[in-house]
Amino acid sequence: MRIFSRFALLSSLCMILLMGYAFQTQGATILYDNYSSGFVANPGNTILGGSNYQSIGQTFSPSQTANLSDIDAPFGYVSGTNIVILNLTTDNNGNPGTLLESWTLQSLPALSTNYSSQTMVSTINPLLTAGNTYWLIASPYDSSTWAVWNPTNNPNYGYYENSNSINPQWILVNDVHSSAFAVYGTPITPSQNTPEPGVLATLMSMGMAGGGIFLRRLRKA
């Protein structure tokens, strides 16, 4: 009975090792970051509903091909419904393209108070390809929403502004601070995530051998 238990344990361990090896991945890493240098708490890049509608767009290119894990960005609330919609899309000839994922940001901190970043955790984990352009678009939830996307401390290329909720027309606003955000993901590295043929064969053989002995002992029992 003791030998029977040992072989059963061996078989189980081999299969666990095989599964773990096959599904190993790297941890999340920074794919894009203009946020780590800090951000401006007040004022911010305006997100506004109603007749003076305005949504904000930022583009980025990931440094590595990866599955998205989360996005960090600071937003502030001014008045109206305290909800902002954040969309991640592909790029379509300099405009937002296919929607990849969307988040509803609620209970944002009031403008001019102590800030903390909002973390948008990905549940879809879309694949982001290195060198490709992607859009993050912050829009008001309804006509009463007035919020801001806080900008970085360091001025760079600016941000995109859209003042048409029906037929968006994105205009690049130059010589201003871009909205702050950081994008994280799990890099795709097939050479590390795919088991070597020799290792895979060894683990499978051990698992099958352990399983066969397990069954023979079970028949004799």
Side-chain angles (χ1 to χ4, degrees), residues 3 8 59 74-75 87 104 107 125 134-135 145 163 166 212 215-216:
I3 294 176
T59 59
F75 291 85
N87 290 334
T104 301
S107 302
N125 308 116
Y134 297 90
W135 287 70
T145 298
S163 58
I166 306 300
L215 290 174
R216 287 197 295 272

Side-chain angles (χ1 to χ4, degrees), residues 32-47 56-58 72-78 84 86 105 108-118 120 136 138 146-156 158-159 176-182:
Y32 177 88
D33 178 23
N34 69 2
Y35 184 23
S36 58
S37 61
F39 61 91
V40 179
N42 185 18
N45 299 331
T46 302
I47 303 162
I56 298 296
Q58 294 287 169
D72 287 347
F75 291 85
Y77 164 74
V78 180
V84 167
L86 185 68
L105 314 182
L108 302 174
L111 192 65
S112 300
T113 63
N114 294 326
Y115 282 84
S116 61
S117 173
Q118 283 74 54
M120 284 62 72
L136 280 176
W146 181 5
V148 300
W149 187 347
N150 298 102
T152 65
N153 280 324
N154 298 321
N156 41 32
Y159 61 87
V176 293
H177 293 233
S178 298
S179 303
F181 66 101

Side-chain angles (χ1 to χ4, degrees), residues 42-165:
N42 185 18
N45 299 331
T46 302
I47 303 162
L48 191 64
S51 58
N52 294 317
Y53 180 92
Q54 182 168 294
S55 53
I56 298 296
Q58 294 287 169
T59 59
F60 71 95
S61 294
S63 58
Q64 301 181 58
T65 297
N67 290 112
L68 177 68
S69 57
D70 59 89
I71 296 171
D72 287 347
F75 291 85
Y77 164 74
V78 180
S79 65
T81 302
N82 190 347
I83 301 177
V84 167
I85 305 300
L86 185 68
N87 290 334
L88 169 66
T89 78
T90 61
D91 177 76
N92 181 18
N93 296 319
N95 287 285
T98 303
L99 178 66
L100 298 178
E101 192 160 5
S102 183
W103 297 268
T104 301
L105 314 182
Q106 304 183 58
S107 302
L108 302 174
L111 192 65
S112 300
T113 63
N114 294 326
Y115 282 84
S116 61
S117 173
Q118 283 74 54
T119 298
M120 284 62 72
V121 177
S122 175
T123 58
I124 299 175
N125 308 116
L127 180 67
L128 304 180
T129 303
N132 284 4
T133 299
Y134 297 90
W135 287 70
L136 280 176
I137 301 168
S139 304
Y141 178 76
D142 62 23
S143 60
S144 70
T145 298
W146 181 5
V148 300
W149 187 347
N150 298 102
T152 65
N153 280 324
N154 298 321
N156 41 32
Y157 77 86
Y159 61 87
Y160 286 88
E161 179 181 282
N162 166 46
S163 58
N164 192 322
S165 60

